[in-house]
Every structure is written in structure tokens, then in C-alpha cells.
């Protein structure tokens, strides 16, 4: 009975040390040092190499070390065992900080004030709308979307949410999957907090941007994406910014990460970039959560955060 950490694109050594410290009684190994594959009963993964998990004959479950599982499903030889993901209050809260901060930066036109400051210009930009005049639309009303919505509402933003199945959230305008056009038509600031699945890949494209509200208080609609880079078509974001369909974009995630040096997004005057760190995680909390899910499963209980293999999130 051993746990395999199967991690690429992050340094696995701190994770191995952390998990061994959190569970000193356990046999925890890090790929590629698998040892006897028959020993491995659970895998905790971040972008596992394709095909590695299928060679573990006694694997009983997989836990993603992140909130998303698109990287797990990227493995075409994924074994048919339950898959869980991380839900962590600290991670959720940090994502909401990012959403609220960038929504306020747009509302209060902070990037324009930054530019004016560099020119030593004392200028008051008008109009200066109140939060309640800005219609924020959140795509994805799951754990992250609902928390961000609640915190944006506390500031006073006018918030609506769109999800595959329509959610009922007190005090919030909500839309289901078939009401996308209606949702977009009332949205000035679009916040994407959706998982990357076959249904959502490339959803943030020019045709969608053109369906956003054209009568908003900031002049043109704004895109914020902290879901996954695969949701967005970056060539379309650039085209939409250049033709005025979008007024600005704040992006935490990208089609290719790290964002390639040659990407025109880097220096675009209407783009704000953060390096996929909108929801920096407390890694000890994540490690404890992963171990708690494995312990549950060993006791014969299902993972608390098991994902739907068909929906892929
Ligand atoms: N940038 C970062 O650092 C970072 C950090 C953490 C997470 N993330 C990303 O954020 C995503 C969301 O996290 P979460 O914990 O909020 O996930 P979640 O609780 O599973 O919520 C996902 C939401 O997206 C909706 N959705 C899924 N497919 C859809 C579709 N085809 N059309 C419309 N709505 C759809 C779901 O609809 P239903 O309500 O109908 O199920 C749900 O409301 C993760 O999958 C991950 O990719 C990014």
C-alpha cells in the first residue's frame, strides 16, 4: 500500500518531502522511482506523463493536486478508477481576491491612473461609475464562481452567473447552459472560472465576445479568465481588443504556459497578465486534503470531491 506522487512541470522533491512529513507512517514514492508497481494503491498527480498510471495494477484512486482535472484527463490511457480534485477554502479565497482586485482595477480605471502617474499628470477620469453600475457575469458557478460572486456582491457589483445547469443562489441572477446569449447580453465584465473540458475548450472566442453587452458603463466589455488557458482563443482576444469588441483583458491562464516570449499579449496596452497564480495554494493544506481523501477511500467511503468522468470535471 503506497502512494505515488506523479508530478511533472513542478518540482516533485518538495512535494515528496511535504507528503512524507505530513504522513510519516506511509510509504510515499515519487515518479519515476515507482519501485514495484503492484505496491501503489493511490496516485496524487499533477500532469502525470501519459500511460504511467495504467501500469499500476492495484491502483484504487487518483487525486489531482489541483482544483482542475483537465491535466488528469489529458492521459489517453487513464485507468478506470475514481478521480478526486482539491477543494480548499484558502485556494478559493485567494481566487476571489484576484477576481475582486481585478474587477476593481477595471471599475476604477487603475491602469489609466498608472499611466497618468508616469506622466506626472493630475487628472480625474470621468465618468466614474459605481460598482452597482457594472454588470459582472461569471461563467462557471461552482466552488470558485460562487465564492467570487458573493464577494463581488459585497462590494456592490451587479453579478450574474452562468453554469451548465442553472444554479439557484439567493440574490443572484443565474442562467443555465441554454441561456448563454441572454447572460452575455447583460454582461459588461466577463469572468471565466470554468473547467477545461471538451465542451468548454475555445469557448472564449470572437463570436462570444461580440455577444457581450455593448452599452456598458466602461464603454466596451472586459474579459477576465482565471479558469484555464484552453478556454480562450488568444488570436480572437487580440482581434477583439484591436477592433474594440473588448475594452481590456485580464488573463491568469494561457493556451501555452509559461506564456511564450513572442506572444503579443505581453506588451498589449489593454492586457493585464498574471502568471497562473490567481489562486496560489497553501501546499501543506493541499497535501493534508489529498491524504484525507485517500484515508476516506481506504475506509470504503467515496472521495468527497470525486469528479464526473463523463463531464470531465
Ligand atoms: N488559475 C488558477 O490558479 C486556478 C485555480 C483553481 C482552479 N482553476 C480552474 O477553475 C476551474 C473551476 O473550479 P471550481 O472549483 O469552481 O469547479 P467546479 O466547482 O467544478 O465548478 C465548475 C463550474 O463550471 C460549470 N461548467 C462546467 N462545464 C460547463 C459548460 N460546458 N457550460 C457551462 N458551465 C459549465 C459547472 O456547471 P454546473 O454547476 O452545472 O456543474 C460549474 O458551475 C477549475 O476546473 C480549474 O480549471 C484555476
Amino acid at each position: 500500500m503506497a502512494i505515488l506522487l506523479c508530478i511533472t512541470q513542478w518540482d516533485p522533491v518538495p512535494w515528496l518531502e511535504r507528503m512524507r512529513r505530513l504522513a510519516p507512517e506511509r510509504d510515499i514514492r515519487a515518479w519515476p522511482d515507482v519501485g514495484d508497481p503492484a505496491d501503489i494503491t493511490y496516485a496524487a498527480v499533477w500532469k502525470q506523463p501519459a500511460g504511467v498510471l495504467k501500469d499500476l495494477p492495484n491502483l484504487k484512486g487518483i487525486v489531482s493536486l489541483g482544483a482542475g482535472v483537465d491535466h488528469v484527463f489529458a492521459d489517453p490511457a487513464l485507468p478506470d478508477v475514481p478521480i478526486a480534485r482539491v477543494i480548499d477554502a484558502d485556494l478559493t479565497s485567494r481566487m476571489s481576491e484576484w477576481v475582486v482586485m481585478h474587477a476593481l482595477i477595471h471599475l476604477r480605471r487603475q491602469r489609466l491612473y498608472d499611466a497618468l502617474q508616469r506622466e506626472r499628470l493630475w487628472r480625474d477620469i470621468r465618468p466614474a461609475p459605481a460598482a452597482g453600475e457594472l454588470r459582472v457575469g461569471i461563467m462557471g458557478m461552482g466552488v470558485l464562481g460562487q465564492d467570487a460572486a458573493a464577494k463581488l456582491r459585497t462590494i456592490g457589483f451587479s453579478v450574474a452567473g452562468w453554469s451548465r445547469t442553472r444554479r439557484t443562489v439567493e440574490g443572484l441572477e443565474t442562467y443555465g447552459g441554454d441561456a448563454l446569449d441572454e447572460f452575455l447580453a447583460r454582461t459588461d465584465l466577463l469572468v471565466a472560472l470554468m473547467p477545461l473540458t471538451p465542451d468548454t475548450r475555445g469557448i472564449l472566442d470572437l463570436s462570444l465576445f461580440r455577444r457581450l453587452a455593448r452599452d456598458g458603463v466602461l464603454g466596451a466589455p472586459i474579459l477576465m479568465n482565471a479558469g484555464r488557458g484552453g478556454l480562450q482563443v488568444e488570436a480572437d482576444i487580440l482581434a477583439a481588443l484591436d477592433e474594440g469588441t473588448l475594452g481590456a483583458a485580464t488573463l491568469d491562464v494561457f493556451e501555452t504556459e509559461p506564456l511564450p516570449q513572442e506572444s503579443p499579449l505581453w506588451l498589449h496596452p489593454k492586457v493585464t497578465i498574471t502568471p497562473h497564480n490567481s489562486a496560489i495554494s497553501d501546499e501543506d493544506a493541499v497535501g493534508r486534503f489529498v491524504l484525507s481523501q485517500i484515508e476516506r477511500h481506504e475506509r470504503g467511503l467515496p472521495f468527497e470531491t470525486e469528479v464526473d468522468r463523463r463531464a470531465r470535471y
Side-chain angles (χ1 to χ4, degrees), residues 173-214:
E173 238 179 278
T174 53
Y175 298 83
D178 56 357
L180 179 60
D181 283 358
E182 225 180 302
F183 163 79
L184 294 172
R186 57 71 63 206
T187 294
D188 306 317
L189 174 64
L190 184 68
V191 181
L193 287 174
M194 270 184 305
L196 179 61
T197 70
D199 290 338
T200 63
R201 183 174 288 281
I203 193 170
L204 302 174
D205 66 2
L206 194 53
S207 81
L208 180 141
F209 304 142
R210 286 182 175 154
R211 287 178 278 154
L212 288 163
R214 302 301 318 163

Side-chain angles (χ1 to χ4, degrees), residues 142-307:
V143 174
L144 300 181
Q146 290 198 37
D147 192 71
K151 287 170 181 163
L152 287 164
R153 285 189 63 225
T154 305
I155 309 275
F157 287 101
S158 164
V159 186
W162 178 75
S163 48
R164 204 157 61 109
T165 45
R166 188 177 168 192
R167 297 279 173 134
T168 309
V169 183
E170 210 194 315
L172 208 73
E173 238 179 278
T174 53
Y175 298 83
D178 56 357
L180 179 60
D181 283 358
E182 225 180 302
F183 163 79
L184 294 172
R186 57 71 63 206
T187 294
D188 306 317
L189 174 64
L190 184 68
V191 181
L193 287 174
M194 270 184 305
L196 179 61
T197 70
D199 290 338
T200 63
R201 183 174 288 281
I203 193 170
L204 302 174
D205 66 2
L206 194 53
S207 81
L208 180 141
F209 304 142
R210 286 182 175 154
R211 287 178 278 154
L212 288 163
R214 302 301 318 163
D215 58 351
V217 285
L218 294 182
I222 288 165
L223 168 69
M224 290 176 29
N225 182 13
R228 280 287 183 267
L231 300 174
Q232 72 200 17
V233 180
E234 285 166 16
D236 284 9
I237 294 176
L238 289 161
L241 289 168
D242 293 343
E243 72 179 25
T245 296
L246 286 177
T250 297
L251 307 172
D252 184 56
V253 288
F254 301 89
E255 287 172 5
T256 303
E257 295 181 2
L259 183 63
Q261 285 295 306
E262 62 276 14
S263 169
L265 290 169
W266 277 115
L267 296 180
H268 197 291
K270 295 177 180 168
V271 175
T272 301
I273 287 173
T274 55
H276 198 148
N277 70 347
S278 51
I280 316 153
S281 320
D282 171 347
E283 286 155 341
D284 274 9
V286 170
R288 279 192 293 273
F289 182 84
V290 168
L291 289 165
S292 75
Q293 293 308 302
I294 292 172
E295 280 156 19
R296 263 181 76 89
H297 206 263
E298 286 172 336
R299 292 202 309 274
L301 297 168
F303 289 136
E304 281 170 306
T305 57
E306 185 169 337
V307 302

Side-chain angles (χ1 to χ4, degrees), residues 51-225:
V52 167
L53 301 180
K54 80 165 182 354
D55 292 332
L56 306 173
N58 295 316
L59 191 69
K60 293 182 169 43
I62 300 166
V63 188
S64 164
L65 288 168
V69 286
D70 47 294
H71 64 101
V72 181
F73 285 111
D75 182 348
L78 194 62
D80 188 13
V81 295
I83 300 165
R85 70 190 190 99
V86 168
I87 296 182
D88 175 59
D90 175 68
L91 183 153
T92 302
S93 207
R94 287 165 186 249
M95 177 61 85
S96 294
E97 288 170 6
W98 184 94
V99 172
V100 170
M101 176 178 82
H102 288 285
L104 284 170
I105 284 174
H106 289 297
L107 175 72
R108 301 299 295 258
R109 299 168 191 264
Q110 188 54 45
R111 296 229 12 199
L112 278 175
Y113 284 110
D114 290 344
L116 290 173
Q117 182 181 344
R118 282 193 294 274
E119 302 293 322
R120 301 172 189 233
L121 286 170
W122 182 277
R123 199 172 285 164
D124 191 0
I125 300 161
R126 295 298 162 112
E133 295 174 75
L134 193 71
R135 295 166 296 179
V136 181
I138 302 183
M139 291 181 96
M141 285 301 287
V143 174
L144 300 181
Q146 290 198 37
D147 192 71
K151 287 170 181 163
L152 287 164
R153 285 189 63 225
T154 305
I155 309 275
F157 287 101
S158 164
V159 186
W162 178 75
S163 48
R164 204 157 61 109
T165 45
R166 188 177 168 192
R167 297 279 173 134
T168 309
V169 183
E170 210 194 315
L172 208 73
E173 238 179 278
T174 53
Y175 298 83
D178 56 357
L180 179 60
D181 283 358
E182 225 180 302
F183 163 79
L184 294 172
R186 57 71 63 206
T187 294
D188 306 317
L189 174 64
L190 184 68
V191 181
L193 287 174
M194 270 184 305
L196 179 61
T197 70
D199 290 338
T200 63
R201 183 174 288 281
I203 193 170
L204 302 174
D205 66 2
L206 194 53
S207 81
L208 180 141
F209 304 142
R210 286 182 175 154
R211 287 178 278 154
L212 288 163
R214 302 301 318 163
D215 58 351
V217 285
L218 294 182
I222 288 165
L223 168 69
M224 290 176 29
N225 182 13

Side-chain angles (χ1 to χ4, degrees), residues 7-21:
I7 296 172
T8 66
Q9 294 185 26
W10 292 347
D11 184 356
V13 175
W15 272 102
L16 184 60
E17 289 170 358
R18 173 175 305 110
M19 297 301 267
R20 285 179 172 165
R21 175 167 48 76

